[in-house]
Amino acid sequence: MAEQQETGVDSAQEVVLYNVQDGIATVTMNRPEFNNAQNSKMTYALDAAFRRAVDDDEVKVIILRGSGKHFSAGHDIGTPGRDINQSFDRASLWYDHVNKPGGEFLYVREQEVYLGMCRRWRDLPKPTIAMVQGACVAGGLMLAWVCDMIVASDDAFFSDPVVRMGIPGVEYFAHAFELNPRIAKEFLFLGERMSAERAYQMGMVNRIASRENLEEETYSIAQRIGKMPRMGLALTKQAINHIEDLQGKRAGMDAAFAWHHFAHAHNELISGDKLGGYDAKAMADSQRTPGEVRSGEAQNK
């Protein structure tokens, strides 16, 4: 909401940082106090940063990372900076969602800021690497999955717990491509954390490093990729993405997006809440292992 933007949260800091060095653009999500939960302000800032990297001929590789303890706790469903009712200069040709009735409100917004942007980022012509530490939860998965490679710390974990809301996974529904379909069902049905080691075994993660060596390992890979010719990298990426789409990735995602929004409408009808009665705290609590103490910094996962 607009009035929530006036609380001072996010207003005094850049929610996305951008830096280029030695042909590598680093795009950093910068809401560590909320575990890099993504509000619209962050999403549009990410879009601008990726565009900036694509337009810069000196940039060969892009690294996406999160500041603080966690990569990303997912979509912002409960911080003071939540801005779901705020208008932004849109990146697609979809009209503004604000003040639209019924299911149109969320359907239009999520076509723009979730499905549309993630698809565009996946197809940008330069190699991208997600550097993941700590939590990569729900909407955080979407940010990691659009990248060409994922390098994770050994203490990283991945989860999509939104089935407990009655929703069939996040909007960028790549689960059955990132994981074997039977493992994808387990991942969603249980909503439990998947360790970096198991994600590596499933082929979702390319490399694992200790938290201390994560940055060194990620940038070393980026430097080696950056020695390849730009056009060769772009065409290779385009070819592999095209094969995924021929296998049904895009069509399947369209269907899953429709089911996702049926779930929102169903939740609204039976409970009055599009998220099935879950708020940020409840979703964070659902992700904790037995005996894990709740901390203030984790409440927005």
Side-chain angles (χ1 to χ4, degrees), residues 125 229-241:
R230 178 173 57 233
M231 193 61 178
L233 290 169
L235 294 175
T236 300
K237 177 170 180 172
Q238 190 173 36
I240 295 172
N241 285 1

Side-chain angles (χ1 to χ4, degrees), residues 196-216:
E197 179 59 34
R198 191 168 193 222
Y200 175 77
Q201 293 169 0
M202 296 297 109
M204 192 171 82
V205 165
N206 295 91
R207 304 285 175 89
I208 298 176
S210 67
R211 179 74 74 111
E212 293 75 17
N213 294 329
L214 178 62
E215 182 173 312
E216 180 182 357

Side-chain angles (χ1 to χ4, degrees), residues 96-280:
D96 193 4
H97 69 286
V98 172
N99 297 324
K100 298 302 185 292
E104 188 176 12
F105 174 87
L106 272 188
Y107 187 87
V108 170
R109 178 178 185 266
E110 293 183 0
Q111 280 279 1
E112 163 81 351
V113 301
Y114 295 160
L115 186 61
M117 286 200 188
C118 283
R119 281 177 164 172
R120 186 164 61 256
W121 300 340
R122 176 225 182 199
D123 289 335
L124 64 86
K126 295 182 179 181
T128 54
I129 304 173
M131 191 179 93
V132 177
Q133 83 282 8
C136 182
V137 177
L141 291 170
M142 295 165 53
L143 298 180
W145 284 350
V146 300
C147 293
D148 301 305
M149 297 180 66
I150 299 175
V151 182
S153 63
D154 53 13
D155 62 351
F157 64 90
F158 304 83
S159 70
D160 189 357
V162 302
V163 173
R164 70 184 69 253
M165 294 175 169
I167 299 171
V170 289
E171 296 82 357
Y172 182 84
F173 195 87
H175 305 66
F177 287 86
E178 297 291 339
L179 298 164
N180 174 284
R182 187 162 283 108
I183 303 301
K185 290 175 183 177
E186 174 193 339
F187 188 65
L188 287 165
F189 289 174
L190 295 177
E192 295 173 348
R193 297 179 178 185
M194 177 179 285
S195 68
E197 179 59 34
R198 191 168 193 222
Y200 175 77
Q201 293 169 0
M202 296 297 109
M204 192 171 82
V205 165
N206 295 91
R207 304 285 175 89
I208 298 176
S210 67
R211 179 74 74 111
E212 293 75 17
N213 294 329
L214 178 62
E215 182 173 312
E216 180 182 357
E217 175 71 8
T218 305
Y219 281 84
S220 174
I221 291 170
Q223 289 165 359
R224 299 200 299 276
I225 292 173
K227 294 178 181 178
M228 299 292 185
R230 178 173 57 233
M231 193 61 178
L233 290 169
L235 294 175
T236 300
K237 177 170 180 172
Q238 190 173 36
I240 295 172
N241 285 1
H242 179 62
I243 295 299
E244 281 191 312
D245 289 340
L246 288 175
Q247 292 171 333
K249 187 172 188 176
R250 187 177 183 89
M253 206 172 281
D254 285 337
F257 188 76
W259 293 321
H260 182 101
H261 281 275
F262 170 78
H264 278 316
H266 179 67
N267 285 342
E268 184 80 25
L269 284 169
I270 64 173
S271 71
D273 185 343
K274 297 178 180 69
L275 301 182
Y278 279 86
D279 59 13

